[in-house]
Amino acid sequence: MVFWEDYVSDESMGTFAPIVVYWLYAGFYQLMPPLDNYRLHTRKEEEQQSKSVPLSSVVKGVLLQQLVQATVAQALFLVTSKANASGVTIQPSLAVQIVQIIVAMFVMDTWQYFVHRYMHYNKFLYRHVHSQHHRLIVPYAIGALYNHPLEGLLLDTFGGALSFLVSGMTARTAVIFFSFAVIKTVDDHCGLWLPGNIFHLFFQNNTAYHDIHHQLQGLKYNYSQPFFPLWDKLLGTYMPYNLVKRPEGGFEAKPIKRE
């Protein structure tokens, strides 16, 4: 039994919980003090960016993507409902759910790597679609899902649907998986290198790793998201980096030039 069982269905939670988690976690970063000693970019760089890409535009873009995601998720849960004749969903064992989540992580990473990479190599798609996300040269938490609507559909929505279907997870397990994926994605875009950040301890694909991809030198590297750098390392698109402390405070992720 879970705490929401008496109030909303697993399908409703699977649809809306990741959206709520996104705004709570991104909002947490947005409301934090400046933390200049932990920034990957200076506040001056962020202020310059906000002139060309206002926060209001970013919020509208994210909400549009989440509207599409919620619509697709609701339809997907309706079609794949695993409820028995009495209307009760049979939840698999914890071990099975863990395996399903691991499978879903691999499927999502694989889908997003190849679609993301193709959007960089196809000049039309990059210019008219993916470049919208790269307008945020200085990534920040609320902008994690700031994408062109077509990219949001192809990369995130279809990737999530495929992960759900291939793994065979229930809507209840999906609440956990997609909420975690959202938190990880937001953290990768937060622009802060905070001490003790658990994601930096357990994932090589982290805030600095993705920051490299938003830099000019790393534009065709570090495509992997949101979990592991597996495909980058296997296919030669991995760009390592050094984390250098700036004299004025904060850090800078500097690409290690490839031979």
Side-chain angles (χ1 to χ4, degrees), residues 103-120:
V103 169
M105 291 169 79
F106 177 75
V107 172
M108 181 174 282
D109 272 0
T110 301
W111 176 267
Q112 293 209 2
Y113 174 86
F114 287 101
V115 174
H116 185 192
R117 181 173 177 174
Y118 184 68
M119 284 187 173
H120 275 267

Side-chain angles (χ1 to χ4, degrees), residues 27-28 68 84 104 141 144 157 208 220:
F28 164 74
V68 174
N84 60 23
T157 305
K220 291 190 180 293

Side-chain angles (χ1 to χ4, degrees), residues 3-238:
F3 70 88
W4 68 76
E5 193 171 37
D6 294 331
Y7 305 99
V8 295
S9 67
D10 291 340
E11 289 76 15
S12 294
M13 279 295 290
T15 300
F16 297 107
I19 297 174
V20 173
V21 168
Y22 183 94
W23 290 107
L24 287 176
Y25 195 57
F28 164 74
Y29 273 117
Q30 191 71 16
L31 295 174
M32 289 179 78
L35 299 176
D36 291 334
N37 288 332
Y38 304 105
R39 286 175 173 268
L40 293 176
H41 294 271
T42 64
R43 275 194 283 172
K44 183 178 180 181
E45 290 174 311
E46 292 185 7
E47 289 166 2
Q48 289 174 339
Q49 175 175 269
S50 66
K51 293 177 182 177
S52 59
V53 191
L55 179 61
S56 58
S57 297
V58 173
V59 171
K60 289 176 185 175
V62 173
L63 287 173
L64 176 59
Q65 176 166 329
Q66 289 177 329
L67 175 62
V68 174
Q69 285 181 335
T71 303
V72 172
Q74 196 65 32
L76 192 65
F77 289 139
L78 183 65
V79 170
T80 61
S81 175
K82 294 179 172 63
N84 60 23
S86 62
V88 178
T89 299
I90 305 301
Q91 192 71 1
S93 68
L94 179 60
V96 170
Q97 290 181 72
I98 291 172
V99 171
Q100 289 174 333
I101 288 173
I102 292 171
V103 169
M105 291 169 79
F106 177 75
V107 172
M108 181 174 282
D109 272 0
T110 301
W111 176 267
Q112 293 209 2
Y113 174 86
F114 287 101
V115 174
H116 185 192
R117 181 173 177 174
Y118 184 68
M119 284 187 173
H120 275 267
Y121 279 84
N122 184 299
K123 292 180 180 179
F124 178 86
L125 284 177
Y126 184 80
R127 185 180 299 115
H128 297 286
V129 179
H130 188 53
S131 62
Q132 177 170 321
H133 182 69
H134 278 275
R135 291 174 68 194
L136 300 183
I137 299 170
V138 181
Y140 62 97
I142 284 180
L145 291 183
Y146 175 63
N147 299 310
H148 186 282
L150 180 60
E151 176 177 351
L153 181 66
L154 293 176
L155 193 68
D156 296 306
T157 305
F158 283 2
L162 192 63
S163 302
F164 174 77
L165 292 171
V166 172
S167 67
M169 64 175 61
T170 63
R172 184 170 298 183
T173 306
V175 175
I176 299 168
F177 172 68
F178 287 117
S179 294
F180 177 68
V182 160
I183 290 172
K184 179 67 170 58
T185 300
V186 169
D187 205 84
D188 289 347
H189 289 81
C190 72
L192 295 170
W193 192 263
L194 294 173
N197 186 323
I198 192 168
F199 295 116
H200 297 167
L201 296 175
F202 290 99
F203 292 91
Q204 284 185 300
N205 187 347
N206 52 40
T207 311
Y209 185 90
H210 191 66
D211 186 78
I212 293 295
H213 178 70
H214 277 258
Q215 297 179 25
L216 186 60
Q217 295 179 69
L219 204 59
K220 291 190 180 293
Y221 297 94
N222 294 10
Y223 297 112
S224 294
Q225 54 184 37
F227 301 111
F228 306 107
L230 173 67
W231 289 110
D232 277 320
K233 290 188 174 182
L234 286 177
L235 299 179
T237 54
Y238 172 72

